[in-house]
Amino acid sequence: MKNVIIVGAGRLGKGFMGETFYNAGWKITFLDNDPRVIQELNRTHTYEVSVHTTKRVFTNTIKNYDAYLVDDYEHVLKAFLKADLLMLPLYPSDFPAAANELAVYFNQQFKVDPTAKKTLICLTNKNHLINQITQDFRSHLADDEVKNWFDQNVVIRDSIVRRSTDADSNYATKLVTTAVASLIIQGPVYSDFSDVKWLDVRDNVEMLKDIKVFTINGPHATTAYEGYLQGYDDIAKAETDEKVHQLVQGVHDETIEAVLYEYPVTRDQIRELEYLPAAKDEMSDSIYRVGFDPIRKVGKNDRLMGVINLCEKYHLPYNAHVKALAAAFAYDEPRDSQAMKIQADIEEMGITKTISKYIERPTTNTVVQQIAAEYDKIKKQR
């Protein structure tokens, strides 16, 4: 039996990775640093995933897995030595801690079996992180000898997530997911997972991920933020609103034009990447999940500002993106700590300085001024 370690047993870890490897007959070990996540997994030693494919909806009960806190040294080491594949469905901010926590097991792997090779696949929407993640791991290894071994025997690869997974919380044991498109994985890899459905190794993943984040995640985030302002809590319902639809369409059209200028791709190639077949009885997706962590999503190179950067480079219009960013700064969902941090900064510093802080441009910058003007319109309308 093949062995996989899933580092991060939240929604994506359980609902996508766990369900996928369970179907392939792999031995699964979940690791997490949240005691409640592990307690819930071990309470009944099963969890359920409602899977929406293009043709049917079914419930899969996942069992026969192990679940440990990442610092449960004895149990984790035993699983680590057997596994040649680690999946890391983590937020970008979680990778430094994960590298620190896992380094002890890499040090032991070198001592016990230095011939072993391992593949780590990172599942996060933020691009261009792999070099930094690799350095985070190397910085916690015991000495130069282990680092040299790590460089030769471990590969850390990026991926493009194209599957929605949701639940009431990270520790929930009832989840819902779509199964309509593969996880695109950067190659080459050391592990053989050709028997696992929904995993697709490709070249040029960094470029494809930029395009995916811009063409899929940008409009998706826009739906969440503008939908929230229009009073919706569900993405599907927000999409039916004409005002939301018009803004999202504008963001999409601006994005496609900018991407075609910047990257050596055709419109058909972009369409293949961004097209996701409709799932049967399409699962509802919450505004809260899609809009979560607006600080990251308004970042200077992320899904919205990244496109504005391209539009400026090629002298293209970006009016819809300005409106989408203004909606993101107006997003005051009280359950989202990052949204509340932005609101606190607006209260303390004013909107112009807050925008400047998070998109990392001077307060006198044209884009900052444009977003601030649109934000003021939103506040007056509300």
Side-chain angles (χ1 to χ4, degrees):
M1 180 179 288
K2 294 182 179 180
N3 297 272
V4 62
I5 292 178
I6 300 173
V7 184
R11 296 172 175 87
L12 198 61
K14 293 192 291 282
F16 182 3
M17 290 295 91
E19 197 268 342
T20 297
F21 281 96
Y22 178 79
N23 290 337
W26 285 48
K27 173 63 178 178
I28 301 167
T29 300
F30 289 107
L31 304 183
D32 208 283
N33 58 10
D34 185 336
R36 185 166 183 184
V37 169
I38 300 302
Q39 288 167 5
E40 290 300 317
L41 277 170
N42 287 330
R43 185 167 55 85
T44 61
H45 297 285
T46 65
Y47 68 90
E48 294 183 353
V49 183
S50 176
V51 183
H52 294 242
T53 71
T54 56
K55 296 181 179 179
R56 66 189 184 109
V57 180
F58 62 92
T59 298
N60 202 355
T61 300
I62 315 303
K63 52 190 176 182
N64 299 325
Y65 55 78
D66 292 322
Y68 307 116
L69 287 170
V70 71
D71 60 357
D72 185 349
Y73 180 78
E74 182 178 347
H75 288 112
V76 175
L77 179 61
K78 184 177 179 180
F80 191 90
L81 295 175
K82 292 179 180 179
D84 64 351
L85 179 61
L86 284 79
M87 307 299 293
L88 288 82
L90 302 169
Y91 287 115
S93 58
D94 293 332
F95 280 99
N100 182 32
E101 292 162 341
L102 293 173
V104 61
Y105 304 110
F106 281 106
N107 290 330
Q108 286 301 112
Q109 178 73 74
F110 172 71
K111 292 179 181 179
V112 173
D113 181 11
T115 66
K117 291 184 178 293
K118 294 191 184 296
T119 299
L120 281 68
I121 299 175
C122 306
L123 286 81
T124 173
N125 280 330
K126 193 171 181 63
N127 205 1
H128 310 290
L129 289 180
I130 298 304
N131 287 340
Q132 182 58 55
I133 291 171
T134 302
Q135 291 307 311
D136 287 339
F137 274 93
R138 292 183 84 257
S139 69
H140 295 293
L141 299 177
D143 52 39
D144 288 342
E145 190 176 14
V146 181
K147 291 177 182 179
N148 290 335
W149 166 82
F150 185 91
D151 294 340
Q152 296 297 317
N153 291 273
V154 179
V155 291
I156 300 178
R157 298 296 186 235
D158 206 351
S159 67
I160 301 175
V161 181
R162 300 188 298 166
R163 183 164 172 170
S164 295
T165 305
D166 205 1
D168 291 339
S169 67
N170 277 343
Y171 50 82
T173 54
K174 291 185 182 296
L175 303 97
V176 59
T177 188
T178 56
V180 297
S182 295
L183 179 75
I184 298 175
I185 297 170
Q186 177 187 24
V189 296
Y190 290 150
S191 303
D192 177 14
F193 44 79
S194 57
D195 57 329
V196 184
K197 191 178 180 181
W198 305 116
L199 303 186
D200 180 12
V201 178
R202 296 194 195 180
D203 297 326
N204 301 320
V205 164
E206 190 170 68
M207 180 189 76
L208 293 174
K209 187 166 184 173
D210 268 345
I211 295 171
K212 180 264 182 181
V213 169
F214 293 156
T215 60
I216 296 179
N217 296 97
H220 208 202
T222 302
T223 305
Y225 297 131
E226 184 63 26
Y228 177 83
L229 296 181
Q230 300 306 318
Y232 298 99
D233 59 11
D234 179 85
I235 290 292
K237 293 177 181 177
E239 289 172 338
T240 65
D241 185 284
E242 183 60 27
K243 185 172 183 179
V244 176
H245 173 74
Q246 287 183 1
L247 180 57
V248 172
Q249 188 64 52
V251 167
H252 179 267
D253 292 347
E254 290 173 358
T255 299
I256 296 301
E257 188 172 9
V259 165
L260 287 171
Y261 269 90
E262 175 70 6
Y263 299 102
V265 292
T266 65
R267 182 66 185 92
D268 285 342
Q269 289 172 318
I270 296 173
R271 189 175 289 109
E272 186 273 333
L273 179 65
E274 68 176 348
Y275 172 70
L276 301 178
K280 184 175 178 60
D281 298 334
E282 191 82 45
M283 55 180 275
S284 63
D285 205 354
S286 67
I287 295 284
Y288 174 70
R289 188 195 75 81
V290 177
F292 185 75
D293 190 7
I295 289 178
R296 175 165 59 91
K297 291 167 183 170
V298 302
K300 64 177 182 178
N301 295 313
D302 211 271
R303 61 209 69 195
L304 297 170
M305 278 304 303
V307 175
I308 287 182
N309 295 338
L310 297 182
C311 289
E312 289 180 317
K313 179 178 179 180
Y314 297 108
H315 308 289
L316 301 171
Y318 53 83
N319 296 334
H321 279 78
V322 166
K323 293 179 180 179
L325 281 158
F329 280 99
Y331 179 69
D332 55 1
E333 165 58 64
R335 296 173 294 172
D336 190 326
S337 62
Q338 301 305 295
M340 290 297 94
K341 189 173 188 304
I342 289 177
Q343 299 311 307
D345 284 342
I346 293 173
E347 182 70 22
E348 179 180 348
M349 301 189 299
I351 185 59
T352 301
K353 288 184 178 178
T354 301
I355 294 168
S356 171
K357 172 182 175 179
Y358 289 110
I359 73 168
E360 298 183 43
R361 292 194 180 195
T363 56
T364 55
N365 178 261
T366 299
V367 175
V368 172
Q369 295 292 323
Q370 290 172 332
I371 298 171
E374 288 296 332
Y375 174 88
D376 287 340
K377 292 179 183 178
I378 290 172
K379 297 304 287 186
K380 289 178 181 178
Q381 291 169 357
R382 294 181 78 186

